[in-house]
Amino acid sequence: EDGWLSMNPVEQGSVDSTHSFRTVVPAEAHRSIRTWICVGATLAEVTHLHYRISEKGFEELRTRTADYWFAWSRHTADSAGIDRLPPRIASLFRRSLLTIRTQIDNRGAILAANDSDIMETARANYSYMWPRDGALVASALDELGYQDITRRFFQFCQRVLPKDRPVLLHKYSADGSWGATWHPWTIGDHAEVPFQQDSTALVLWALWRHFDRHGDIEFIEPLYESLVIPCADFIVRYRNPETGLPLSSYDLWEERRGINAFACGTVYGALRAAANFAELFDDERAATYLETAKELQAGIEDHLWDPVAGRYARRLIGLPGGGYERDTTFDSAVYALFAFGAFPATHPRIEQTMSATHSRLRVQTPIGGMARYENDYYFRRTDDTAKVPGNPWIICTLWEAQYHLARGGPGATDAVLESLNWTVDRAATSGILAEQYDPFLGEPLSVSPLTWSHAEFVATVLQYLRATE
């Protein structure tokens, strides 16, 4: 409580700390302190670790550790062709891989962030596994061959999937227990399980990409029975039969309930993935999943398209007396309509939607970048939303780059390279990427690092390399 270790051989009650260091640094001199922490379930375990360090030597173990992680990140990065990139982008790519790994629990949970600064404003942390974030991170890692890590993630999802309602919940702690949620368990006067349908859908989508990359049939077979079939069958049932669209759930920003464009895009990707798995196992469900995907496509065209605005709406809001109204707020999440296969990036309606969305959400300050959505309130720095529709986000800026790559055409790769350089400019000297940035000062806001930010950078770099190969 007073900032000083009392030097008593044992403490109880309010323990000051476990250890402290004191040294005097003369003028124009320096002092070095070497320290390590041994963690174990028993005193015997930590004692064994301590003596191992003492016997091996601090420098030898530190060098061995550095060499291991250098090789871990360097081998896959080099095999992907990173040497063709400008050095600063290649450096952040390798650092992003290492940063992502620090956020992954060895039991499978891919955590969103482990930054305690957020406690000062949000009174809650990000040290949870969001299935959506985790699936997108796993997909990027799978492209580079880190299947041991991604296997544990998919097995984690299989373990925590509720048996009575096969949808993944808002978030989970690293041990698999439910994470704190701000979604209510009642809608009006009836009970409702709060969930985001994109979270479950993206896990199926990522799982197929995993199998398509690695072909590990023995790993996939039990997950097909316990994860793919229950989730895909639920997706088929949880739809409006008149529109063919999913019923309401919370959006990826965890703020609004409705029939969201992002959920529609990811559900399409999940249905195609489930159909691929069903065909692999000669399951008659494949036809059902493919037919549902077609109906979903038609529903997006018929109901999400707003002819007055000339673009897709970000969601449909159900009305008390039946029917719905379109929410045409500009939102970067409409990118899901092409990103997961529902429509090609060159589809005229997609082109109209993305062109208008990018024009409206571009931050008109020297910092630049893309906002999440129009009039974003989260960590807002100005009320001039015409100039600053929201703070620039790493993932949203890179989504724009991914659209340019998917659409192709003259100047596409140059525009992507500009976005990658913009991302490097945002990174801290340590190579850490935040969730979002101050639109005037360029300082990081919210959590830092955000695992998803680093994963989108890795994914965008890989797409860029394929496009320029």
Side-chain angles (χ1 to χ4, degrees), residues 155-167:
Q155 289 170 332
F156 180 98
C157 293
Q158 185 272 334
R159 288 197 305 273
V160 301
L161 183 71
K163 299 298 183 287
D164 57 336
R165 188 179 178 91
V167 291

Side-chain angles (χ1 to χ4, degrees), residues 360 364-365 375 380-390 440:
R360 177 66 188 96
Q364 304 296 323
T365 70
N375 201 22
R380 178 184 289 177
R381 287 297 186 263
T382 177
D383 291 329
D384 185 2
T385 56
K387 182 179 178 181
V388 182
F440 302 103

Side-chain angles (χ1 to χ4, degrees), residues 147-196:
Q147 65 264 40
D148 289 343
I149 296 173
T150 58
R151 281 178 179 176
R152 292 194 292 267
F153 167 74
F154 293 120
Q155 289 170 332
F156 180 98
C157 293
Q158 185 272 334
R159 288 197 305 273
V160 301
L161 183 71
K163 299 298 183 287
D164 57 336
R165 188 179 178 91
V167 291
L168 293 165
L169 297 178
H170 186 184
K171 50 184 173 166
Y172 297 86
S173 295
D175 63 359
S177 58
W178 290 356
T181 181
W182 47 83
H183 294 156
W185 286 72
T186 57
I187 303 295
D189 57 358
H190 69 276
E192 176 72 27
V193 176
F195 71 102
Q196 299 156 275

Side-chain angles (χ1 to χ4, degrees), residues 165-172 181 183-185 192-201 234-235 238 246-252 254 256-258 260 267:
R165 188 179 178 91
V167 291
L168 293 165
L169 297 178
H170 186 184
K171 50 184 173 166
Y172 297 86
T181 181
H183 294 156
W185 286 72
E192 176 72 27
V193 176
F195 71 102
Q196 299 156 275
Q197 193 155 8
D198 60 81
S199 291
T200 304
F234 176 84
I235 286 173
Y238 195 74
L247 295 175
S248 293
S249 66
Y250 287 94
D251 67 357
L252 82 159
E254 303 156 25
R256 299 166 189 84
R257 202 166 180 274
N260 306 292
V267 164

Side-chain angles (χ1 to χ4, degrees), residues 51-125:
Y51 281 121
R52 181 183 170 212
I53 295 173
S54 300
E55 292 170 2
K56 293 285 186 181
F58 183 90
E59 287 300 332
E60 179 182 338
L61 286 177
R62 187 171 72 163
T63 300
R64 184 185 301 176
T65 299
D67 289 346
Y68 172 84
W69 289 110
F70 182 85
W72 183 90
S73 63
R74 187 96 191 189
H75 172 70
T76 53
D78 289 351
S79 64
I82 298 303
D83 58 333
R84 293 195 287 113
L85 292 169
R88 61 200 302 263
I89 295 178
S91 176
L92 183 58
F93 183 92
R94 296 187 183 97
R95 186 62 62 94
S96 289
L97 291 177
L98 291 167
T99 302
I100 289 171
R101 187 62 183 91
T102 68
Q103 307 292 90
I104 299 177
D105 185 86
N106 285 335
R107 294 164 294 182
I110 298 175
L111 303 181
N114 287 298
D115 181 2
S116 61
D117 289 351
I118 193 67
M119 293 290 289
E120 297 179 8
T121 53
R123 302 304 303 158
N125 62 66

Side-chain angles (χ1 to χ4, degrees), residues 396-406 412 415-416 419-420 460 463:
C396 302
T397 304
L398 294 175
W399 283 350
E400 181 195 21
Q402 291 172 25
Y403 171 70
H404 288 310
L405 285 173
V416 174
S419 294
L420 293 175
T460 307
Q463 291 176 35

